[in-house]
Structure formats: structure tokens, C-alpha cells
Amino acid sequence: MLVAVALLAACARALPPGVTELTYASPYAPTHPFSKADIAWIKFVEQRSAGRLRVRPNWSGALLSADMSMEELRHGVADIGLVTPIYVRGGTQLIRVQSGFYSGATTIPSQVALYRCIEAASPRLAQEMHGLKVLAVQGGSLPGVVTRTRPVRSLADLRGLRLRAPTELLGVLRELGVDPVDMPMGEVYSAMSKGMIDGVVAPADTFRSLHFAEIAGHFNTLEVPRGAYPARAMSLIRWNALSVADRQVLTESGPVWEAALALEIKGAWQKGYDEALRHHIAILPMPAADQARFDALYLHNAEINARALGRLGIDGLGALQAARGAVKARDRITCQGPPS
């Protein structure tokens, strides 16, 4: 192995003097909306640094794995990568639970702003990203309810359905009589087409990106809150090895990356919605009273999950209180100051 590494190093292209190359890794193909935002970020970094920084991308999971990317980054498998701490089973308990604190933040910019408020009030979030320098936070389009054959016109229609849903919604859905299933999104198409599940809680972009328009018949536009999380990170060892000027460029690139992600995610949602219309998917609204009831259940479940973290010595309630205090109105986010 050492001989092979030496041979690869010998074959590597020599960099011009004063140029630093950073490797970027993602599990997605370069045509994916996330990757398009990554490419926009790469262009910014290279231009803003006047060529001092060069980013070499590795797509489609060639370098980082989907489930171990944080640990792999810590150990230098890549310099920078796409990470999903909300799906990590151990060590990111608050990051996962706080993704269920986002009632009232319906746009991606407001979700990212709310994450920043929670982060400012909860040092635990930074601790859970130890060994990594967070470069960008990512939100997402609000999910609705995609069903195969049974239309959902009210919360009562959810009773008895078997739906794939994210972990933070399992408690809410059980209270509504749903049989929730926690499975990878990559398995949903097959499970729905075979009738193993009745549907999935997912945003409209999945009608195109995951081809749900081929197997679904209905889409209820229930507004299911969606949380933000640290989504692009860098090895802290590699970060500390960079010059002050190069670290400044990467710091400036954060808002650019977040804006590019928001733009691509919004565009993907519209393309997915248009795909649903082309396939004559029935678009069904949720009555306002039912939406209000769902919102109340969501917040109640958020408090249950926040309190449960106390058994692990994690101040989940403090994080929830910071989140609720920061939402002044729908998509109006203002962080609270430090306690007096």
C-alpha cells in the first residue's frame, strides 16, 4: 500500500508555486442540484483567491461515504466535503433533534438564520461538529405528503397510512394515527411501487429527482417544517494549516455557498412540481384548521424530544427556547441577546 501511495504521489501533478489544492468530496453526481451549488462555490473560491486556491472535486461518492463522511473528513480522507449530521446515529444528538424546532421558518434563508440563532445559544452544536470547520449551513424545501393511491384531504385521512418520514416527525405522525416508517429515501420508490408503503413525507422536488411522479397519484401541500443543519465542512487540521488570507476567502465563501444551495433547491422544487402537474398528480391543499393543529402537534413533539435530551446531559430545552424566541413571525427571525 505504501508503494502504491508513493507511486500515486509521484504521478500527481505538480502545483505552481503559491497554489494550494483542496479536495472536495460529495456523494452526489455533478448534475445534482447540490453539486451545481458546489460548483458555483468552487468557482467563487478560485476567483476570489486569484488562483491561490484550487479545488479538485470528487463526485458520486468516489472519496467520502454517505454515512461516515464526518469521521472521514476528520481523518483527512478529503479536505472539504458534504456532511449530513442529522442522519448520524451517534455524537450529533442535538443537531438531529434541533431539526424539529423550525415551525415558522418556511424559507431556506429563514431556516439558516434560525440555525444560527440556535447555534449562538447552544455551544453543544459546535461541540458535536468537533474536528471540523463548518463552511455552510443548508435548509430545504418544505415537505408535503405524497401518496400512491389514497388522497389526503385532511389530517383525518392520514389515519391508517404507512408513510416514510424523517425521524423528527415520527412522534407527530403516530399521534395522527399514521404508521411511520424510517427508511432511506433511496428505497422509497421501490417500496411505494410494490405497495409496501402508502406514501412518503417529501417535498415536491422528489417528483422529478426521485421519479415519484411515476408511482404517486396525490400530493397534499401540508406545510411540514424543515430544519437546517451544517452541510459542508472542512477538516479542522487542514483549515488550521491554511494561510490567514486563504481562511478569509473560505469564510467569505460561506454565504455564497448557502445562497447557491438555496437557489438550486428552490429551482429543483419548481421543476418537481411542474413534473407532478405533467403527470396529472392531484395537488390537494390542507385545510387551515388542520394545518394549525399539525403545527401545534409539531411544537409539542419538539418539546418532548428536547426534554428527552436532558437524560443525556444535553440542554435541549434551552435550544428549543432559543428557537422559539427567535421566530418573531412567519419567516421573521431575530436572534435573542444573551441572558441578562
Side-chain angles (χ1 to χ4, degrees):
M1 184 177 292
L2 291 174
V3 173
V5 170
L7 289 172
L8 287 173
C11 294
R13 292 170 300 167
L15 292 172
V19 173
T20 297
E21 184 174 79
L22 300 171
T23 55
Y24 173 71
S26 169
Y28 296 100
T31 54
H32 190 279
F34 290 173
S35 302
K36 291 179 180 178
D38 298 341
I39 292 169
W41 168 79
I42 290 171
K43 291 179 179 178
F44 173 87
V45 168
E46 294 182 342
Q47 292 173 1
R48 185 70 180 85
S49 67
R52 287 195 325 272
L53 290 175
R54 185 179 295 176
V55 181
R56 178 164 54 87
N58 293 265
W59 309 111
S60 305
L63 204 54
L64 289 186
S65 61
D67 57 341
M68 292 293 292
S69 57
M70 291 175 64
E71 199 62 26
E72 290 165 345
L73 277 179
R74 290 180 180 121
H75 286 85
V77 175
D79 297 320
I80 304 170
L82 184 149
V83 294
T84 51
I86 55 173
Y87 299 125
V88 174
R89 290 298 178 186
T92 58
Q93 293 92 340
L94 183 55
I95 292 178
R96 285 192 289 110
V97 169
Q98 66 82 38
S99 66
F101 296 174
Y102 284 74
S103 180
T106 68
T107 68
I108 295 174
S110 65
Q111 292 161 5
V112 172
L114 186 53
Y115 180 85
R116 301 291 189 202
C117 293
I118 300 172
E119 180 184 43
S122 305
R124 169 78 189 196
L125 291 181
Q127 294 169 14
E128 292 185 349
M129 296 298 292
H130 68 91
L132 300 173
K133 169 66 177 177
V134 175
L135 297 181
V137 174
Q138 178 177 316
S141 302
L142 297 191
V145 181
V146 179
T147 51
R148 192 169 65 100
T149 58
R150 290 176 57 179
V152 173
R153 295 186 174 89
S154 67
L155 289 182
D157 292 335
L158 292 171
R159 183 167 297 277
L161 290 179
R162 194 159 198 254
L163 301 177
R164 187 276 178 189
T167 304
E168 68 269 16
L169 290 179
L170 301 185
V172 177
L173 293 175
R174 288 192 185 102
E175 288 194 48
L176 294 169
V178 173
D179 177 16
V181 178
D182 185 9
M183 67 168 60
M185 281 295 282
E187 298 176 9
V188 171
Y189 183 100
S190 176
M192 278 184 67
S193 63
K194 295 175 182 177
M196 296 169 60
I197 59 175
D198 298 301
V200 56
V201 177
D205 59 81
T206 56
F207 285 113
R208 179 173 180 176
S209 62
L210 297 178
H211 309 288
F212 288 170
E214 299 172 358
I215 54 173
H218 312 276
F219 180 56
N220 184 281
T221 58
L222 171 70
E223 286 190 351
V224 180
R226 173 75 172 266
Y229 61 93
R232 304 295 188 278
M234 181 177 190
S235 159
L236 192 56
I237 294 174
R238 191 71 177 96
W239 167 267
N240 289 333
L242 293 175
S243 68
V244 173
D246 289 344
R247 290 201 297 267
Q248 179 61 31
V249 169
L250 292 179
T251 299
E252 293 174 5
S253 76
V256 174
W257 210 343
E258 291 170 355
L261 283 165
L263 182 65
E264 291 295 339
I265 292 169
K266 182 178 180 180
W269 185 95
Q270 188 61 56
K271 290 176 182 177
Y273 190 84
D274 293 343
E275 185 78 359
L277 294 178
R278 280 194 293 271
H279 281 76
H280 307 291
I281 305 296
I283 310 297
L284 306 170
M286 185 63 75
D290 281 15
Q291 179 69 59
R293 182 187 169 207
F294 181 87
D295 292 342
L297 286 173
Y298 175 89
L299 288 175
H300 176 66
N301 191 69
E303 183 174 347
I304 291 173
N305 292 336
R307 287 186 183 278
L309 287 177
R311 296 196 296 267
L312 302 174
I314 300 172
D315 184 14
L317 275 179
L320 176 60
Q321 291 164 1
R324 299 320 308 150
V327 180
K328 306 304 181 183
R330 182 183 174 95
D331 293 322
R332 187 160 66 86
I333 312 299
T334 304
C335 297
Q336 301 181 99
S340 56

